[in-house]
Amino acid sequence: MSLIRTEGLEKIYRLDHVEVPALRGVDLTIEGEEFLAIAGPSGSGKTTLLNLIGGLDRPTAGQVFLEEQEITRLNKSRLAELRLRKIGFVFQAYNLLPVLTALENVEYVMLLQGIAAGERRQRALAILGEVGLAEYANRFPNLMSGGQQQRVAVARAIVAQPKLVLADEPTANLDSTASSELLDLMRQLNRDHGVTFVFSTHDPLVMERAERLVRLRDGKVFGDE
Amino acid sequence: MDIKLAWRNVWRNRRRSVIIISAIAIGLAGVVVYEALTVGMTTQMVENIVGTSLGDIEIHHRGFQESKTLELAIDNPEQVLRLVRGTEHVSAAAPRVRAQGLVSSARASAGVQILGVDPTAEAAVSTIAHSLVRGRFLAAADEYAIYLGEALAKKLKVGLGRKVVLMAKGLAPGMASNAFRVVGTFQTASPNFDKMTVYIPLAAAQSLLSLDGKISEIAVRIDRQRSLEQVAATLRTKLAPNEYEVLTWKELVPNLVQMTQLWEEWVYLFAFVIYIAMVFGVTNTMLMVISERTRELGIMLALGTRPLRIFRMILIESALMGLVSVALGSAASFGVVWWLSLQGLDLGWFVRGLSFLGLSRIIYPVLTPSILLISGLSALVATVLAAIWPAWRAVRLEPVEAIRDA
């Protein structure tokens, strides 16, 4: 059973009566424990594809299956529940809730899952240790570097033990050292936790580190290596 | 963590939160102080009128209130007084003779209301003995003494120890008259009352008016206002209804009741306007909050936060601002009321035209727990209600658009 399967996925944005196609029929299958990069130039549909896989947006046509369950028809509340239980997200920047400390940010998802306070704290501290930020647990995001913030975001994405982590250009705002460290970390977590990582990028460094590289151009898959 | 998150969110934009919290607190304090002053003013109005010349309850011979004729007198006052004084919640009762007459000095004369009173009993039911300006109030041993308004004394140009002649039509044929010596003058909140009222001993009044031991009314004071109707009802059952009428002050001066109601309605209107302004202020603030935090709300939704939880978080933020505002506003109003209660609020010229209502020039606010509680709760409810629309807008955000738009 594949983890993710998309069939004929299309997305058209309507801007001032002009239709802008972002995806034009994407068929893609992603297996469990993959470390996959979706690459392509700006406007190729990378973010749109991630949003559709993550249940953040609805396709104009086509379907998305997560563990063979079709998610495109789920209502808002069911989609929220699905994201909470099965998918972790890392965005480009400003991922963290600014009024919560690193520890509280990591705890937040577990709070939504209804995990007891003691266990939340224990697991959050453990994962912060794993991403090398144990001593930053009580820091607020504005007192951390971009790389550190992204690590906390990765910790938050992984702590809820999802099947899939979707990262939309996670290194876009980082320098090459921080980017490299973040990729190492994601790869490590991919191996240690068996979590599938799918990330979008147009950074050649990131593409190099991916186990599988899916190339998008003009809303279509034109390469799968 | 929800409350912690909401609390920290409140203080993210410290200046904005301080401004809106101050606005709510000042609005609330304004409502509370205004209401406390109104309650103080109406309480004083009632006390000035009821405590000076009426009584919480008055008992007359049936028909007296309408005709005011001396023929309709109570002819067994001792028996009725005993019955009244033995009633629960009655703190004092006093017999009175009430008649119209003419008072004359060597220099002038004036039409007056004559009140024949038992000085000791009257002092227990009314504040007239405390409204003394010069001399003294009537004493039990007085025979033909007179206690009159300072304004009337000035009009008659009489001083203490001088004689005036009182003329009235009593039960006997023809006009009766007698000389009375001025023992004291008084001044109440009502200049009209002062200009046309004289107090003389009960026996002297009965003698002047040939009442033969009869009285016009019994004034009753009770120990708590909330028992007013209950005491009146008890007295009505105790006293033969075809012979006596028992009237509360609300029935005796219905326009006073209407006036106090009118003032209360003004307070409600004022409070309503303030709360509406609060609602607009909070709604505007929360809309700004939602607009500024669109991306963050999008991320929260993307992480799997249920829309209802976002809705609740926005309401909690608003409620926390409301709670802080209510605490500050209550403390401020408490301080202002305390300060005003020490020195009173001088309404000066404003009261001059309303003195016939028994309005005092200096108003002392009365702050009851219920005023604080109801006003505070209303402000809190207003701030929470004001956040509903912004919270609803937050809930309707689509995560992907929220993240992209920011």
Side-chain angles (χ1 to χ4, degrees):
Chain A
M1 181 176 71
S2 59
L3 179 65
I4 292 286
R5 186 161 58 84
T6 71
E7 282 181 3
L9 211 51
E10 287 181 23
K11 180 71 184 179
I12 299 169
Y13 293 109
R14 285 181 178 82
L15 302 169
D16 297 332
H17 309 292
V18 179
E19 292 194 342
V20 181
L23 291 181
R24 304 166 191 248
V26 172
D27 298 306
L28 182 68
T29 302
I30 302 169
E31 303 299 335
E33 302 186 22
E34 281 199 62
F35 194 68
L36 181 150
I38 297 172
S42 274
S44 59
K46 305 184 294 291
T47 300
T48 304
L49 180 58
L50 283 190
N51 287 340
L52 292 175
I53 291 174
L56 290 175
D57 205 356
R58 290 177 198 279
T60 309
Q63 292 160 308
V64 178
F65 297 88
L66 175 64
E67 292 181 318
E68 294 308 320
Q69 180 197 5
E70 193 195 338
I71 66 168
T72 34
R73 291 183 204 281
L74 296 179
N75 65 27
K76 232 176 157 177
S77 192
R78 296 278 306 275
L79 276 176
E81 184 67 18
L82 179 108
R83 291 196 297 269
L84 179 63
R85 304 280 167 197
K86 297 194 172 171
I87 307 172
F89 288 93
V90 179
F91 299 99
Q92 266 186 37
Y94 310 111
N95 260 300
L96 305 179
L97 303 182
V99 292
L100 298 184
T101 62
L103 181 69
E104 289 164 345
N105 262 290
V106 176
E107 274 190 64
Y108 182 74
V109 180
M110 290 186 282
L111 171 83
L112 299 180
Q113 287 183 328
I115 294 170
E119 189 188 340
R120 274 197 327 248
R121 181 135 300 213
Q122 198 183 348
R123 277 170 61 180
L125 281 169
I127 202 82
L128 278 174
E130 214 170 324
V131 302
L133 289 175
E135 67 270 38
Y136 292 87
N138 293 317
R139 255 193 214 191
F140 285 96
N142 61 339
L143 299 174
M144 301 170 85
S145 70
Q148 287 166 337
Q149 288 187 36
Q150 289 302 70
R151 282 166 170 267
V152 176
V154 170
R156 181 183 63 190
I158 203 87
V159 77
Q161 297 169 343
K163 300 277 181 189
L164 171 69
V165 171
L166 297 171
D168 186 13
E169 304 203 32
T171 61
N173 292 329
L174 303 182
D175 60 30
S176 58
T177 315
S179 297
S180 181
E181 283 171 3
L182 189 71
L183 283 167
D184 288 343
L185 173 69
M186 294 202 297
R187 184 66 172 144
Q188 184 71 36
L189 294 169
N190 164 248
R191 284 189 184 127
D192 295 351
H193 293 261
V195 178
T196 303
F197 273 78
V198 177
F199 42 95
S200 65
T201 188
H202 54 252
D203 181 349
L205 174 80
V206 180
M207 291 180 216
E208 271 172 30
R209 308 283 281 273
E211 198 178 59
R212 179 180 164 197
L213 184 65
V214 174
R215 291 183 187 274
L216 283 186
R217 185 182 290 168
D218 299 330
K220 286 182 179 171
V221 175
F222 84 98
D224 193 344
E225 304 151 24
Chain B
M1 195 190 269
D2 282 338
I3 290 174
K4 191 198 282 181
L5 181 64
W7 178 252
R8 288 183 191 166
N9 276 331
V10 167
W11 298 110
R12 280 169 79 163
N13 191 328
R14 200 172 291 261
R15 185 190 296 177
R16 185 172 57 205
S17 294
V18 165
I19 289 172
I20 189 71
I21 285 171
S22 305
I24 299 170
I26 290 168
L28 172 64
V31 168
V32 171
V33 171
Y34 185 39
E35 196 163 355
L37 279 169
T38 304
V39 171
M41 184 167 69
T42 52
T43 306
Q44 279 172 254
M45 270 166 73
V46 170
E47 185 53 32
N48 284 342
I49 289 183
V50 171
T52 306
S53 61
L54 297 177
D56 295 311
I57 294 169
E58 279 192 0
I59 299 164
H60 306 119
H61 191 287
R62 179 150 295 281
F64 176 85
Q65 180 62 14
E66 201 179 319
S67 66
K68 298 282 193 297
T69 173
L70 284 173
E71 273 84 11
L72 294 174
I74 297 170
D75 51 15
N76 52 343
E78 286 310 317
Q79 196 186 333
V80 179
L81 272 168
R82 253 199 315 278
L83 214 70
V84 172
R85 285 175 178 147
T87 304
E88 197 183 6
H89 298 304
V90 168
S91 55
R96 282 186 192 143
V97 164
R98 196 183 280 269
Q100 302 301 314
L102 186 77
V103 63
S104 309
S105 68
R107 314 279 290 274
S109 58
V112 288
Q113 168 180 240
I114 302 165
L115 285 170
V117 298
D118 171 340
T120 315
E122 187 64 22
V125 298
S126 90
T127 55
I128 195 67
H130 303 294
S131 304
L132 185 74
V133 176
R134 289 186 289 156
R136 61 170 176 81
F137 183 54
L138 302 173
D142 287 335
E143 276 187 284
Y144 288 94
I146 191 164
Y147 182 62
L148 71 172
E150 174 70 16
L152 181 59
K154 280 190 176 144
K155 185 179 175 188
L156 297 173
K157 297 188 172 65
V158 291
L160 295 179
R162 304 298 293 270
K163 276 188 177 172
V164 292
V165 174
L166 211 48
M167 289 176 69
K169 173 78 179 75
L171 291 182
M175 292 294 284
S177 68
N178 218 329
F180 290 80
R181 196 174 293 280
V182 177
V183 296
T185 62
F186 61 81
Q187 185 178 9
T188 66
S190 167
N192 279 349
F193 183 79
D194 298 348
K195 268 184 222 160
M196 52 181 301
T197 309
V198 298
Y199 285 82
I200 59 173
L202 184 67
Q206 286 169 328
S207 164
L208 178 73
L209 302 164
S210 310
L211 280 171
D212 193 22
K214 295 176 190 169
I215 59 167
S216 313
E217 68 192 32
I218 290 170
V220 182
R221 289 315 296 261
I222 57 173
D223 56 12
R224 53 182 201 191
Q225 274 300 312
R226 66 173 187 275
S227 301
L228 182 70
E229 298 302 334
Q230 180 204 331
V231 175
T234 309
L235 290 173
R236 282 181 193 122
T237 58
K238 280 186 172 181
L239 299 165
N242 55 345
E243 201 174 338
Y244 302 99
E245 60 190 6
V246 176
L247 299 169
T248 65
W249 66 264
K250 291 179 180 177
E251 293 161 314
L252 290 164
V253 272
N255 57 344
L256 184 60
V257 178
Q258 284 165 359
M259 189 52 69
T260 55
Q261 279 171 349
L262 187 70
W263 283 113
E264 280 166 19
E265 279 159 20
W266 265 112
V267 171
Y268 297 143
L269 186 66
F270 176 74
F272 181 72
V273 170
I274 295 287
Y275 291 138
I276 290 290
M278 275 183 201
V279 166
F280 277 102
V282 174
T283 301
N284 186 42
T285 302
M286 295 314 283
L287 283 174
M288 278 196 279
V289 163
I290 303 302
S291 168
E292 283 171 9
R293 301 212 315 248
T294 301
R295 178 184 168 84
E296 195 178 311
L297 292 167
I299 286 174
M300 290 174 88
L301 288 165
L303 293 177
T305 311
R306 282 176 183 273
L308 193 64
R309 198 169 191 130
I310 302 263
F311 187 83
R312 196 176 65 182
M313 184 185 75
I314 304 289
L315 292 196
I316 292 175
E317 279 181 38
S318 199
L320 288 173
M321 281 202 300
L323 276 175
V324 175
S325 309
V326 167
L328 292 176
S330 301
S333 57
F334 200 78
V336 172
V337 167
W338 177 75
W339 181 69
L340 283 175
S341 67
L342 291 182
Q343 53 184 32
L345 180 68
D346 190 344
L347 294 183
W349 60 269
F350 176 70
V351 179
R352 226 165 285 154
L354 297 172
S355 56
F356 70 95
L357 293 169
L359 209 59
S360 302
R361 206 182 128 190
I362 312 269
I363 300 295
Y364 293 93
V366 173
L367 183 56
T368 61
S370 68
I371 293 178
L372 263 183
L373 195 70
I374 291 170
S375 306
L377 271 179
S378 305
L380 191 59
V381 169
T383 52
V384 174
L385 288 180
I388 287 179
W389 182 45
W392 176 244
R393 286 190 60 166
V395 163
R396 288 171 59 87
L397 287 173
E398 287 296 333
V400 70
E401 284 167 18
I403 293 167
R404 188 174 48 218
D405 284 355

